[in-house]
């Protein structure tokens, strides 16, 4: 197993003569001095994605802390649900038979935390660590293609998995009453509503890749260790700002129709394709001086590397939109089912209350009108059906 402590050694390659040693683009220089000039990791292989590792302390520390908090909060929620269920069963045992008082075992007060949410959140943290500490992180400042794949995963996949874990809902569920009210008040504030407005949250997802590749931000991220870490954090935060209000699993400042998310997803596909085309055919090499100064004696030329990276960004950017579409459609189905059940429960409660009042006064119980087809009560149609 290869290990690169603290990240790959990158920067302007310096040879024995004290200046940059840059060979012909796309291959070895043919001289020993140019080989000595390169000080980065060895030639990239597919196996490096699993066997080469580096360490990014900030991402590792944040991932561990978030995982510990999340698991502890899930345990608290499940324990509270268990205690509530025991108390309700005790009340049900003391209640009259058929009263239904002990029938709700983890009801509207909040059920057990869904294992799928826990798996999604922890999976997002693991993917975050893998993107920055595996072979992808070792070569992210050496190869344009590696950086392009990393950008897609950090901006679109890691935040999606974290948002599917509903961490804000978990925070609200486990927070004391005062803190819970502060969190909900912050979510209802005007800055929160502006941030979660579809146009704003969409811009936070679509604009960063264009700004990254066509401003000095990209070269700063590959030439500076601090810039590299900042990129790894900022991309995840910007992705969360998009997926959080779009999925609406967590409390949001203002809810929007899920169809808006579908239209935005199609627009995002167009933007990804446009950026990929520009990177492939635009004729402008991103961070050209930096990649030439590396003096890398193996692998593709900077132009070929950028072409591969543009294709990777285009294809992966479209593919990773499919899980979001699936999650969004599933959320629409689940929300529709929940709304239907809530309406049915309200109608049942109203009918039960009316029946109880009728029994109390000794009158006949009314038929539950919600169970009758509408055409039986329509004045123009009911005579056809003997109503």
């Amino acid at each position: 197993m290869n290990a690169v402590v603290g990240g790959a050694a990158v920067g302007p390659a310096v040879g024995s003569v004290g200046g940059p040693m840059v060979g012909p683009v796309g291959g070895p220089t043919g001289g020993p001095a140019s080989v000595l000039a390169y000080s980065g990791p060895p030639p990239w292989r597919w196996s490096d994605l699993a066997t080469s590792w580096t360490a990014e302390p900030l991402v590792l520390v944040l991932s561990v802390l978030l995982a510990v908090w999340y698991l502890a909060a899930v345990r608290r929620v499940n324990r509270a649900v268990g205690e509530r269920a025991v108390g309700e069963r005790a009340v049900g045992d003391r209640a009259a038979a058929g009263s239904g008082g002990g029938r709700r075992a983890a009801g509207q007060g909040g059920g057990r935390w869904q294992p799928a949410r826990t798996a999604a959140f922890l999976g997002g943290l693991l993917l975050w660590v893998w993107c920055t500490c595996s072979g992808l992180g070792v070569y992210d400042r050496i190869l344009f293609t590696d950086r392009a794949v990393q950008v897609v995963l950090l901006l679109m996949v890691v935040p999606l998995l974290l948002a599917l874990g509903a961490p804000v809902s978990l925070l609200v569920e486990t927070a004391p009453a005062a803190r819970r009210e502060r969190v909900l008040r912050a979510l209802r504030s005007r800055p929160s509503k502006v941030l979660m407005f579809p146009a704003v949250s969409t811009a936070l997802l679509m604009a960063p890749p264009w700004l990254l590749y066509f401003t000095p931000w990209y070269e700063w991220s590959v030439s500076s260790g601090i810039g590299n870490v900042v990129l790894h954090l900022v991309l995840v935060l910007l992705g969360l700002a998009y997926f959080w209000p779009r999925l609406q699993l967590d409390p949001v400042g203002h809810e929007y129709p899920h169809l808006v998310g579908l239209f935005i997803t199609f627009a995002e596909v167009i933007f990804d394709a446009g950026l990929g085309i520009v990177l492939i055919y635009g004729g402008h090499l991103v961070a050209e001086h930096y990649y030439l100064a590396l003096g890398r004696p193996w692998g593709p030329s900077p132009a070929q590397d950028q072409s591969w990276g543009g294709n990777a960004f285009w294809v992966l950017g479209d593919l990773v939109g499919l899980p979001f579409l699936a999650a969004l459609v599933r959320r629409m189905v689940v929300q529709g089912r929940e709304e239907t059940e809530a309406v049915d429960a309200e109608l049942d409660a109203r009918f039960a209350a009316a029946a109880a009042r009728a029994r109390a006064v000794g009158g006949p119980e009314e038929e539950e009108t919600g169970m009758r087809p509408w055409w039986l009560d329509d004045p123009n149609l009911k005579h056809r059906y003997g109503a």
Side-chain angles (χ1 to χ4, degrees):
M1 177 180 293
N2 301 323
V4 181
V5 179
V10 295
V14 179
S16 58
V17 296
M21 302 295 293
V22 180
V25 175
T29 61
S34 63
V35 176
L36 292 176
Y38 175 70
S39 58
W44 186 90
R45 298 169 299 176
W46 282 102
S47 60
D48 288 320
L49 295 177
T51 60
S52 295
W53 294 90
T54 184
E56 188 159 310
L58 185 57
V59 172
L60 288 172
V61 170
L62 284 176
S63 298
V64 171
L65 291 177
L66 288 172
V68 170
W69 166 78
Y70 194 94
L71 292 175
V74 169
R75 183 180 178 185
R76 288 179 57 188
V77 170
N78 290 339
R79 185 170 56 204
V81 170
E83 294 174 353
R84 185 164 57 246
V86 171
E88 290 178 350
R89 282 196 298 269
V91 172
D93 292 340
R94 292 193 298 267
S99 63
R103 195 172 296 173
R104 184 170 64 97
Q108 294 180 345
R112 288 188 174 274
W113 197 253
Q114 299 177 14
R117 292 185 176 183
T118 303
F121 189 83
L122 297 181
L125 294 178
L126 288 175
L127 183 59
W128 193 12
V129 171
W130 182 82
C131 285
T132 56
C133 298
S134 71
L136 198 63
V138 172
Y139 290 89
D140 64 352
R141 298 164 67 187
I142 303 297
L143 293 171
F144 186 94
T145 304
D146 261 53
R147 174 67 89 188
V149 172
Q150 187 184 67
V151 167
V152 173
L153 295 178
L154 291 179
L155 183 63
M156 301 182 185
V157 182
V158 172
L160 173 60
L161 292 174
L162 295 179
L164 286 173
V168 180
S169 296
L170 187 61
L171 175 64
V172 171
E173 187 78 14
T174 57
R179 186 185 306 168
R180 181 186 304 119
E181 183 57 33
R182 286 197 299 269
V183 172
L184 295 176
R185 191 184 308 117
L187 293 176
R188 293 190 294 264
S189 65
R190 182 174 296 275
S192 176
K193 292 181 179 180
V194 171
L195 182 64
M196 295 183 184
F197 187 73
V200 176
S201 60
T202 302
L204 293 176
L205 184 77
M206 294 183 181
W210 290 86
L211 295 176
L212 175 65
Y213 289 114
F214 298 105
T215 67
W217 185 15
Y218 185 89
E219 191 157 357
W220 179 59
S221 73
V222 292
S223 61
S224 167
I226 295 178
N228 194 43
V229 174
V230 168
L231 181 71
H232 295 161
L233 296 177
V234 169
L235 290 178
V236 174
L237 291 176
L238 292 176
L240 275 173
Y242 171 78
F243 288 110
W244 177 8
R246 293 284 65 77
L247 288 174
Q248 298 183 19
L249 290 174
D250 280 324
V252 294
H254 185 73
E255 294 187 0
Y256 298 94
H258 289 294
L259 288 177
V260 173
L262 292 177
F263 290 123
I264 291 175
T265 301
F266 293 126
E268 186 264 329
V269 168
I270 296 174
F271 270 76
D272 289 345
L275 179 56
I277 291 173
V278 171
L279 291 175
I280 298 169
Y281 303 109
H284 167 70
L285 290 182
V286 178
E288 178 180 9
H289 297 295
Y290 169 82
Y291 284 114
L292 289 176
L294 286 179
R296 174 168 48 82
W298 51 266
S301 68
Q304 182 73 56
D305 190 20
Q306 181 168 315
S307 178
W308 291 355
N311 280 282
F313 187 92
W314 185 354
V315 174
L316 286 179
D318 291 345
L319 289 179
V320 299
L322 296 179
F324 172 65
L325 284 176
L328 195 60
V329 171
R330 181 181 181 277
R331 178 60 182 162
M332 292 172 62
V333 173
V334 171
Q335 188 174 22
R337 187 184 303 123
E338 291 174 350
E339 291 175 354
T340 301
E341 292 176 352
V343 171
D344 289 343
E346 182 179 357
L347 293 176
D348 291 342
R350 290 181 180 179
F351 178 74
R357 288 195 298 269
R359 287 194 300 268
V361 298
E365 297 185 16
E366 297 181 359
E367 182 181 359
E368 188 173 0
T369 57
M371 301 298 293
R372 288 172 55 85
W374 63 270
W375 55 81
L376 294 182
D377 298 316
D378 189 283
N380 297 320
L381 298 176
K382 63 180 181 179
H383 67 278
R384 299 183 183 182
Y385 302 96

